[in-house]
Amino acid sequence: MTAAAAPSPAVGHPLAGQAVHFNGLGGKGIAPAAALALAAGMTVSGDDLSPNHRTSALAAAGADVTVGSNRTPVAGLHVATAARPSTGVAGPLQMERLEFVQHLLAAHGKRQIAVAGSLGKSTAAAVLHQVLAPTDPSAYIGADVPGLLCGATLTGGPWAVVEACEYRDAYSALAPEIAVALNITSNHEDHFGAGTGGFARSLAGFLVAHPLRLAVMPADVADLLQPHLREAGTAPDIDTLGDDADWTVTILDANPRGTVFVLDHHGRGVGTWTVPAPGRHLVTAAACAAITSLHLGLTPADSADALRGFRLPLRRMSTMHSDANLVVVDDNARQPDQIAALIQGLRQAHPGRHLVLAVAPWGTRNKRDLDAWAPALAEADTVWVLPVGPAAVPGGEDPDADVRLANLIRLDGTPAYVATPGVPLRQLLPAGRQPGPLLVTTAGYDASLTAFTGLHDQVIGTFADKAGA
């Protein structure tokens, strides 16, 4: 759950008292926009078809929340979730969520740092926000970040860290001064098409749409962007990270508590940072954040000290249960590259445990590339594939995709089972496998959270150390 104090608007907020209504208030993209509005002293109302921890947190912070239906306000601003199409009916001024975020941050004179990429934006934005803590930054992040109200805060500092969503080119509404581009992978095929070319072209367009002071990215991302930047005839100053790049990372130590790394700039050692959580992907995020902080005038010591206070957002390797016999973790990994990063981080955090990965990759807008998913999942010790279920709709998954994915994983040599409801979990482990020590991890979209929660309870009831309870 989001644990944060209700916002206290500062005197002189230019939008104070203005009304704004949010459809889809409990969504991870809408909720932080509403939290910013509350912090700005706006009169906030919102609705969602179902309640969740975000609607509860926003209601406690002062929002007028309606659950069970969507409505169109008669006055003020109207911000709608992408899941609810515009009515086209004349009424209050309608904005997309990032249009509203841009509107609010510009009104408060905030200078934006956009965090873009196919995967991992929320976590990287949370890392950057923590590293920049000495500058008192504002934030709009589509995740439940510890200490922030639904992933957002509006503060007195000059900078704002903004998660820049690429779907349907939503980030085109933003006007950042600095951008961090994490990665380019195949994603949102219904918008960008197959492969990486569509998103690379879109991201390049985003980077040149406004005069950027700086862009920070891994060298392989810069390579993918270069043809599109040349086509645009302009490019921002880019700091690259990687072998033979502007900045290089050397890992000094990786242990269950986190990773220590050194940054070098053109061969000159700059400083040492510690990420207080496991996972190589977090090192990339932290390195990009550290580079950004140095450009903003922070010392290596100041940013390294700030990074030590980082805590992972909810559903990012979140431990749900832990004893000698069983660890249960929940994560929102929903692409093969994220699965690979998750498995690496879990191996670092829990060496020696038998890793069972329970995955629900299914969506209703695109079919999964099972040939790409299978080898990533096969790096676990055992895989439980949750049924396709309601995702078997026109334009979504094939009804037998769960069975075919399990078969492909087994061809790669890893035991895999379709976790049909009602099947005893002990039957979903390799023959002769002892029940501990186990590490069971659920991974997939927030839409599967109810199924994951039920599975957590079933796993704990079956495998937990009863003697140690």
Side-chain angles (χ1 to χ4, degrees):
M1 292 189 56
T2 301
S8 299
V11 175
H13 273 319
L15 304 181
Q18 295 186 24
V20 58
H21 182 83
F22 297 88
N23 293 131
L25 188 68
K28 63 182 180 181
I30 291 287
L36 283 176
L38 286 167
M42 301 182 75
T43 301
V44 177
S45 60
D47 56 59
D48 208 300
L49 298 179
S50 301
N52 64 15
H53 63 283
R54 298 186 190 103
T55 57
S56 298
L58 291 167
D64 179 9
V65 179
T66 299
V67 173
S69 64
N70 293 137
R71 64 184 179 88
T72 299
V74 297
L77 297 175
H78 178 201
V79 182
T81 173
R84 182 175 187 259
S86 173
T87 62
V89 177
L93 177 61
Q94 291 193 6
M95 288 184 171
E96 300 288 343
R97 58 188 171 93
L98 289 188
E99 283 184 283
F100 175 77
V101 171
Q102 171 65 31
H103 170 70
L104 185 148
L105 294 177
H108 289 82
K110 301 303 180 185
R111 305 167 68 184
Q112 293 177 37
I113 306 172
V115 180
S118 301
L119 307 170
K121 294 182 293 295
S122 299
T123 301
V127 171
L128 178 58
H129 183 258
Q130 181 61 40
V131 167
L132 297 184
T135 71
D136 192 24
S138 299
Y140 166 87
I141 302 171
D144 298 302
V145 180
L148 304 185
L149 178 61
C150 297
T153 185
L154 185 63
T155 60
W159 293 98
V161 176
V162 178
E163 180 180 343
C165 176
E166 72 278 12
Y167 187 53
R168 297 179 181 171
D169 300 312
Y171 52 19
S172 63
L174 301 173
E177 287 190 34
I178 296 173
V180 175
L182 297 167
N183 44 55
I184 296 176
T185 67
S186 180
N187 199 6
H188 299 308
E189 293 89 342
D190 59 313
H191 178 68
F192 293 118
T196 60
F199 176 48
R201 185 177 299 106
S202 170
L203 181 56
F206 171 62
L207 296 178
V208 302
H210 302 280
L212 284 179
R213 168 178 169 179
L214 172 70
V216 180
M217 63 190 69
D220 63 327
V221 176
D223 290 342
L224 289 171
L225 289 174
Q226 282 305 323
H228 306 290
L229 294 174
R230 285 196 297 269
E231 182 179 322
T234 184
D237 289 334
I238 298 177
D239 268 22
T240 56
L241 176 69
D243 296 337
D244 300 320
D246 299 314
W247 298 84
T248 58
V249 172
T250 302
I251 293 179
L252 300 182
D253 181 46
N255 59 63
R257 296 178 303 279
T259 307
V260 182
F261 69 93
V262 171
L263 267 181
D264 293 280
H265 186 233
H266 293 300
R268 180 179 62 85
V270 175
T272 303
W273 286 260
T274 299
V275 187
R280 181 66 178 81
H281 64 294
L282 294 177
V283 174
T284 300
C288 288
I291 293 166
T292 303
S293 74
L294 297 174
H295 279 281
L296 297 188
L298 271 67
T299 67
D302 284 343
S303 64
D305 185 60
L307 180 59
R308 293 187 186 96
F310 172 71
R311 297 295 179 268
L312 285 165
L314 189 68
R315 300 210 66 224
R316 274 68 176 177
M317 290 194 290
S318 299
T319 300
M320 315 305 293
H321 174 88
S322 180
D323 64 39
N325 207 48
L326 173 69
V327 174
V328 178
V329 173
D330 182 56
D331 196 89
N332 81 330
R334 54 196 186 276
Q335 292 291 338
D337 287 352
Q338 288 178 310
I339 291 291
L342 171 64
I343 290 174
Q344 185 278 318
L346 291 171
R347 298 288 194 198
Q348 180 178 336
H350 302 283
R353 285 186 177 264
H354 183 93
L355 171 56
V356 178
L357 186 56
V359 62
W362 318 120
T364 57
R365 284 196 293 259
N366 299 290
K367 296 182 189 296
R368 302 307 97 162
D369 182 355
L370 302 186
D371 288 331
W373 273 91
L377 292 168
E379 294 301 314
D381 297 314
T382 300
V383 179
W384 295 345
V385 180
L386 272 65
V388 172
V393 297
E397 298 295 344
D398 294 326
D400 66 342
D402 43 16
V403 174
R404 290 190 288 118
L405 179 56
N407 288 338
L408 287 171
I409 296 167
R410 285 195 289 270
L411 288 175
D412 280 333
T414 298
Y417 310 86
V418 177
T420 305
V423 175
L425 295 183
R426 292 184 187 276
Q427 294 183 19
L428 303 182
L429 290 174
R433 167 69 201 169
Q434 296 302 311
L438 284 175
L439 169 60
V440 178
T441 301
T442 48
Y445 290 95
D446 287 353
S448 298
L449 192 54
T450 299
F452 289 156
T453 300
L455 183 59
H456 298 160
D457 293 341
Q458 189 180 0
V459 167
I460 292 167
T462 303
F463 299 115
D465 182 0
K466 304 300 191 296

